[in-house]
Amino acid sequence: MAYYLGLDSSTQSMKAVVIDPETGCVAGGANVTFGTDLPQYRCPDGVLAHADPLVKHADPLMWLAALDKVLERLLKSGVDMGRIAAVGGDGQQHGSVYLNSRFEAVLASLDPERALPDQIAPALARPSSPIWMDSSTSCECRELEARFGARLQAETGSPAIERFAGPQIRKFAKAEPERYAQTARIHLVSSFLCSVLIGRDAPIDSGDGAGMNLLNLRTLAWDEAIASFTAPGLMDKLPPVGCGAAGGLHRYFAKYGLRPGIPVAVWTGDNPASLVGTGAWGTGVAVVSLGTSDTFFAALDAFRTDPAGCGHVFGNPAGGFMSLACFKNGSLARDRVRQEAGVDWTFFDRTAFERTPPGNEGRLALPWFVPEITPPVLTSGVRACFDFAQAAPEVRVRAVVEAQALALRAHAEWIGRFDTLRVTGGASRSPGIRQTLADVFQARVESIAVADSAALGSAMLAAHADGVSLAEMTAHFSPVADVCLPRAANAAVYDRLLPAVRELERLPPAGA
Ligand code: XUL
């Protein structure tokens, strides 16, 4: 029977997952890590080096090389590629790719004898792509705010945000008008890769499109006034908005054993895909995804926006909307705290919590090694209410894990109260982090037995586009593997610390 393939193009890697809905089993998978597998693109953590710490770009050709490689690895792993009946996918959100007028012709004539990067390079109007880690567009954000005020958030789901594609496009059009004029099409990472798979321009979905400050979520169409102000002629450079099947797979991919013409679902963002993969696409369960960035997201019962302006509203690929708050200093920051404290992961995940009491005697620290997104703070540096650098390793670890969990709770309040949190991402394996989340939120914390929830969600969306029910797949593929219960005795400790973390967010960096 039919298999379905999900591809996830995230910040640091490209993953592939193949599912078999009939047996409820994952039939195979493959992974390409940009830093180690594709060092020639000089993006060790998925990002090109740049003198300005606010600028974060990646090489879009690297994503194409990764697509070739991940499919080649999947084929070599022995998965029966001929059984794959549809392909879905997702990309890191907000990243934008700039193509010239040759793009469509190049796509239509892809030659299986040649690799994707060589063939598509002549169609790039801009050699690099700004990604979600970029925070260099404050000036453009202020200009958008001055022009549209509260309407921006009320209609697009977010106020003007540095990493969102709209402000990024505005900056590019202002700084490089000639290259902008040569740009015929602007894609997101998701719609760019989907276009390559179908051999023509693919639509942008409302899950990822909402991360641009350009999509009117009330009409689910590009907002003409905002687009025209963002950059001249932008409406003509945006692909259509769409969902469901984008088109049939291009024959180029037959070299990987895939059947040409099988449906390719419109790609979405990694967080909307993860909402599906974690089985949280219906209301009631919130997801905490602990990856390069930490994100908190949940399906929304109705369209509403964050009064504090930090959180976002995106389309939910299963229908309706989802909320999301993104914390940039996630796993990379935890790893740096661990390294600077000179401890291993067992210490970070367990020992530190055995040696310190819940609440850490009021010692909290936010590890903002890079500019933070939630709340938006451009000056990096650890925020601590005690001498962080001199404290014992276990105190530093608990201070960071508790402050991060409290910040999640503080910024998720507008979304609702949740009795159940579902944790995913690498750091969700940490017992210390899971118990802290359970205690801080006084919620049941469930881990699901899936490592790559975005890739899985994309595979489920591929199957859904082919008529398989999402509810049925959720029962099969997103089972709860482990539960961590809240300890009621700690509720008051964290209720007391919630105002303290809000205070901490307003402090200057330590040593400043
Ligand atoms: C969400 C965000 C990040 C990226 C990471 O708004 O910026 O979670 O999607 O891939």
Side-chain angles (χ1 to χ4, degrees), residues 381-406:
V382 174
R383 269 57 174 187
C385 58
F386 64 104
D387 190 351
F388 184 72
Q390 297 304 318
E394 59 268 30
V395 171
R396 283 196 251 176
V397 169
R398 190 185 267 280
V400 161
V401 170
E402 288 189 339
Q404 287 186 322
L406 284 159

Side-chain angles (χ1 to χ4, degrees), residues 140-461:
E140 289 70 25
C141 289
R142 298 302 80 79
E143 289 165 353
L144 278 155
E145 265 165 21
R147 173 70 182 80
F148 296 104
R151 177 166 108 73
L152 210 56
Q153 185 181 16
E155 312 266 22
T156 72
S158 304
I161 302 285
E162 276 79 358
R163 68 190 189 285
F164 277 36
Q168 292 288 345
I169 294 168
R170 184 169 170 80
K171 180 183 166 195
F172 174 57
K174 279 169 34 185
E176 298 184 64
E178 277 161 28
R179 276 200 176 140
Y180 178 74
Q182 282 158 16
T183 303
R185 186 55 92 219
I186 301 177
H187 274 293
L188 291 177
V189 178
S190 58
S191 59
F192 171 59
L193 292 170
C194 184
S195 301
V196 173
L197 287 176
I198 63 173
R200 60 187 167 79
D201 263 320
I204 289 182
D205 91 315
S206 67
D208 217 12
M212 300 176 82
N213 278 142
L214 290 171
L215 183 67
N216 190 314
L217 287 178
R218 297 182 192 275
T219 59
L220 293 187
W222 301 123
D223 191 301
E224 259 194 84
I226 298 176
S228 326
F229 177 81
T230 296
L234 180 54
M235 278 301 279
D236 297 334
K237 301 183 199 284
L238 295 171
V241 182
C243 59
L249 186 72
H250 192 278
R251 57 191 151 64
Y252 172 90
F253 297 94
K255 68 182 186 181
Y256 301 118
L258 291 164
R259 280 181 286 139
I262 54 170
V264 177
V266 173
W267 281 40
T268 188
D270 54 356
N271 294 296
S274 206
L275 185 79
V276 175
T278 51
W281 46 273
T283 50
V285 179
V287 179
V288 178
S289 169
L290 303 162
T292 307
S293 63
D294 290 342
T295 50
F296 184 101
F297 51 86
L300 280 178
D301 48 4
F303 182 82
R304 70 170 171 281
T305 55
D306 177 8
C310 298
H312 314 300
V313 183
F314 299 149
N316 174 347
F321 298 97
M322 65 179 283
S323 58
L324 177 133
C326 177
F327 301 78
K328 203 198 278 177
N329 289 282
S331 287
L332 293 178
R334 282 185 288 273
D335 193 26
R336 182 154 157 193
V337 169
R338 180 190 68 75
Q339 286 185 38
E340 287 179 359
V343 297
D344 60 16
W345 281 117
T346 309
F347 186 97
F348 190 100
D349 293 339
R350 287 177 196 277
T351 319
F353 295 88
E354 289 157 10
R355 294 196 183 163
T356 49
N360 211 20
E361 291 161 351
R363 290 168 294 192
L364 294 170
L366 287 166
W368 291 349
F369 294 113
V370 294
E372 185 44 67
I373 287 175
T374 307
V377 175
L378 291 181
T379 334
S380 56
V382 174
R383 269 57 174 187
C385 58
F386 64 104
D387 190 351
F388 184 72
Q390 297 304 318
E394 59 268 30
V395 171
R396 283 196 251 176
V397 169
R398 190 185 267 280
V400 161
V401 170
E402 288 189 339
Q404 287 186 322
L406 284 159
L408 283 171
R409 179 174 149 188
H411 292 285
E413 263 174 357
W414 71 277
I415 302 171
R417 271 197 82 87
F418 295 92
D419 300 332
T420 306
L421 298 184
R422 210 158 272 174
V423 286
T424 172
S428 67
R429 284 188 288 271
S430 160
I433 293 181
R434 283 206 302 261
Q435 188 62 58
T436 304
L437 283 168
D439 289 351
V440 165
F441 280 83
Q442 286 297 298
R444 176 188 160 91
V445 169
E446 299 177 346
S447 320
I448 55 165
V450 186
D452 302 320
S453 55
L456 173 67
S458 288
M460 286 162 72
L461 287 168

Side-chain angles (χ1 to χ4, degrees), residues 29-110:
N31 207 333
V32 169
T33 303
F34 303 146
T36 46
D37 289 320
L38 299 167
Q40 65 274 35
Y41 292 98
R42 297 168 199 272
C43 294
D45 288 321
V47 192
L48 289 162
H50 198 284
D52 181 347
L54 299 184
V55 172
K56 301 285 177 195
H57 285 209
D59 186 340
L61 299 179
M62 173 179 76
W63 301 324
L64 297 173
L67 182 59
D68 268 333
K69 206 172 197 62
V70 85
L71 292 174
E72 188 189 307
R73 284 190 177 165
L74 197 60
L75 174 67
K76 283 200 181 132
S77 76
V79 173
D80 185 351
M81 302 289 273
R83 269 175 75 172
I84 293 173
V87 182
D90 66 86
Q92 55 171 308
Q93 295 199 251
H94 317 297
S96 42
V97 186
Y98 300 75
L99 290 319
N100 61 31
S101 55
R102 293 155 81 179
F103 186 50
E104 285 238 79
V106 162
L107 287 187
S109 58
L110 286 177

